Amino acid sequence: MSIFDLTIAGAAKELAARKVSAVELVTAYNGAVEALNPRLNAYITVTPELALAQAKQADARIAAGNATPLTGIPLAMKDLFCTEGVRTTAASKILEPFVPQYESTVSAQLKAAGAVMLGKANLDEFAMGSSNITSGYGPVENPWKRAGADAKLVPGGSSGGSAAAVAARIALGATGTDTGGSIRQPAAFTGLAGIKPTYGRCSRYGIIAFASSLDQAGPMARNVEDCALMLNAMAGFDVKDSTSAERAVPDFCAALNRGVKGLRIGIPAEYRMDGTNPEIVALWEKGISWLRAQGAEIVDISLPHTKYGLAVYYIVAPAEASSNLARYDGVRFGARVDGVDLIDMYERTRAAGFGAEVKRRIMIGTYVLSHGYYDAYYLKAQKVRNLMLRDFTQAFAKVDAILTPTAPSAAFGLGEKMDDPVTMYLNDVFTVPASLAGVPAMSVPAGLSAEGLPLGLQIIGRHFDEETVFAVSAAIEKAAGFTALPEVRAK
Ligand code: GLN
């Protein structure tokens, strides 16, 4: 067995038993990052010296007997979390020179738990995308390949660098953010577990904003237990985020062995969409039978407004993005391109600093918020969003959790689905409803496609009931017995 076979939980045990030191673990990971990152491009910035210094502190803490399960664990930090003294780009050229003077709450909590940061993970620019191809720092390569083929595949997005890093074992776990699926879809594309917690469960303070009413941080890791360990440290009320929830954080690990006996699991009719890959439908059926076999009751439900999900999301998210991204004006932080006057400087800076997808969203967002169109688009979208929330509320009167596929396909090739943006947006069809409703949702690896690529199932829960989501996810994980590994990985 190699050191790279350890999970977070496994590594924590080895560290506690002094069979391995944090310095040994982190040195191995630093080496793996150096070897594989030039190919995968999973990290935009690597921080090996910082990681080593944190590992030394971790060893001291373990020796002193006050370690947490994350002490000495090497993680990748999505480059959307502000990290004090470490460049934070959001994968945008406009933030290329930006070194934050403060730390995001989530990364600060991980630090406080003793976790080690290997570097800042690549993503779609400002987290806008489903494939990582919109990054201003080059695309990320998925460590998985189709059987017998060499074509490069995307890792999904926007947390694609986080996903590729964990799948290739150049991080033990990673932070992600999810606005419309950015934790769940890349987790599914790379054979990982990943949870978007309830909106408000983790603080958004210090996370570069995309769509503030949707953005939520969460963990991505090799299995469900590792996600629970990470979320224990990431979650919690924060006075610095007015939308963070003033609620106690339960021990999510305690929910893992609850089982699903007696739980009612909803299967939404509207997620059986025409044209979904038959393999995905078959996997969903398997998931249903696994839960039934473990004692869950399967209930047919309806989420009638599902068909509006993408339309609503692609109005609300760009609207909020256009407002949030107004701050990148070449004055306060980031890059500046000088012009003949102030307006010219703004225009040149934003023209040079933002990529095509970000510009597209700013234009759509500005349009739907403008006088005369606001009622027709933004207000209407907000109303339908409410109906979607009501769908979930009514469903959760009948069921404890909902099971669906995570994504309509396995990972696709770099260069595919790029002819028109709407084709790319269709990737998010199964993930955006939970985002719009603010409910927690997790993706768990559940099988392989005929081409040998990982496929995920999604478990959606009630607001603030991540525990049931973890329990059902653990049951799926157990039944699926997913052990496949990508060819490209640290060994
Ligand atoms: N793919 C979606 C988008 O492009 C979701 C992104 C995200 O969750 N950050 O908006």
Side-chain angles (χ1 to χ4, degrees), residues 249-430:
V249 179
D251 176 8
F252 297 114
C253 294
L256 296 173
N257 294 318
R258 279 187 186 173
V260 294
K261 208 171 164 54
L263 285 185
R264 292 158 305 168
I265 306 294
I267 308 300
E270 293 76 10
Y271 280 57
R272 294 186 196 280
M273 291 173 191
D274 286 347
T276 306
N277 183 335
E279 284 188 318
I280 306 265
V281 180
L283 185 78
W284 192 14
E285 292 302 332
K286 260 195 197 168
I288 293 171
S289 59
W290 290 334
L291 293 177
R292 192 182 277 130
Q294 293 183 56
E297 184 192 337
I298 305 300
V299 182
D300 286 323
I301 58 163
S302 173
L303 297 168
H305 297 90
T306 301
K307 59 177 177 291
Y308 302 116
L310 283 174
V312 169
Y313 175 84
Y314 279 98
I315 289 173
V316 172
E320 294 183 16
S322 73
S323 166
N324 275 325
L325 270 55
R327 73 191 69 170
Y328 305 107
D329 54 8
V331 177
R332 280 165 295 183
F333 33 59
R336 169 186 296 184
V337 181
D338 283 322
V340 293
D341 56 22
L342 186 66
I343 300 289
D344 191 42
M345 185 277 284
Y346 288 163
E347 288 177 357
R348 285 172 192 265
T349 297
R350 290 167 68 84
F354 290 136
E357 182 62 26
V358 172
K359 286 177 185 159
R360 180 177 301 123
R361 304 231 184 164
I362 291 173
M363 286 190 282
I364 295 171
T366 308
Y367 180 83
V368 300
L369 288 177
S370 54
H371 182 74
Y373 296 103
Y374 181 93
D375 290 359
Y377 293 103
Y378 185 70
L379 195 65
K380 183 65 117 323
Q382 290 291 29
K383 287 179 179 165
V384 182
R385 182 179 183 179
N386 258 322
L387 294 174
M388 294 185 69
L389 171 61
R390 199 179 66 185
D391 283 358
F392 278 101
T393 309
Q394 288 173 347
F396 283 125
K398 295 193 208 107
V399 298
D400 302 298
I402 296 171
L403 182 73
T404 78
T406 306
S409 74
F412 46 89
L414 209 69
E416 291 169 21
K417 305 202 191 206
M418 278 146 75
D419 317 340
D420 93 288
V422 176
T423 312
M424 190 64 80
Y425 298 167
L426 294 178
N427 263 290
D428 308 329
V429 64
F430 296 137

Side-chain angles (χ1 to χ4, degrees), residues 78 80 124 126-131 157-159 177-185 210 215 313-314 317 357 361 424-425 427-428 431-432 435:
K78 186 176 184 178
L80 202 63
D124 281 293
F126 284 104
M128 298 174 191
S130 308
S131 62
S158 67
S159 311
T177 62
D178 190 311
T179 302
S182 278
I183 288 175
R184 292 163 281 162
Q185 183 255 20
F210 164 11
D215 298 345
Y313 175 84
Y314 279 98
E357 182 62 26
R361 304 231 184 164
M424 190 64 80
Y425 298 167
N427 263 290
D428 308 329
T431 48
V432 294
S435 297

Side-chain angles (χ1 to χ4, degrees), residues 1 56 76 113 136 138 190 247 266 395 420 424 462 464:
M1 178 164 150
K56 286 181 185 151
T190 55
R247 288 207 172 218
D420 93 288
M424 190 64 80
R462 296 188 179 102
F464 296 104

Side-chain angles (χ1 to χ4, degrees), residues 173-222:
T175 56
T177 62
D178 190 311
T179 302
S182 278
I183 288 175
R184 292 163 281 162
Q185 183 255 20
F189 276 20
T190 55
L192 302 179
I195 180 168
K196 177 198 89 74
T198 309
Y199 182 78
R201 183 58 102 175
C202 293
S203 169
R204 290 184 296 106
Y205 177 77
I207 300 174
I208 293 175
F210 164 11
S212 305
S213 75
L214 296 158
D215 298 345
Q216 182 55 206
M220 305 170 76
R222 290 187 202 161

Side-chain angles (χ1 to χ4, degrees), residues 32 35-43 122 131-132 139-157 159-171 174 185-192 220-222 410-414 448 451-454 482 484-491:
L36 288 178
N37 195 53
R39 167 176 182 171
L40 297 173
N41 201 27
Y43 292 92
N122 206 344
S131 62
N132 236 277
V140 174
E141 185 182 339
N142 191 330
W144 290 83
K145 301 234 172 263
R146 293 179 181 128
D150 209 41
K152 287 186 182 177
L153 305 180
V154 303
S159 311
S162 300
V166 180
R169 304 188 160 193
I170 57 174
Q185 183 255 20
F189 276 20
T190 55
L192 302 179
M220 305 170 76
R222 290 187 202 161
F412 46 89
L414 209 69
L448 290 177
E451 293 179 318
L453 295 176
F482 185 91
L485 292 171
E487 188 43 42
V488 183
R489 64 175 198 276
K491 290 177 188 162

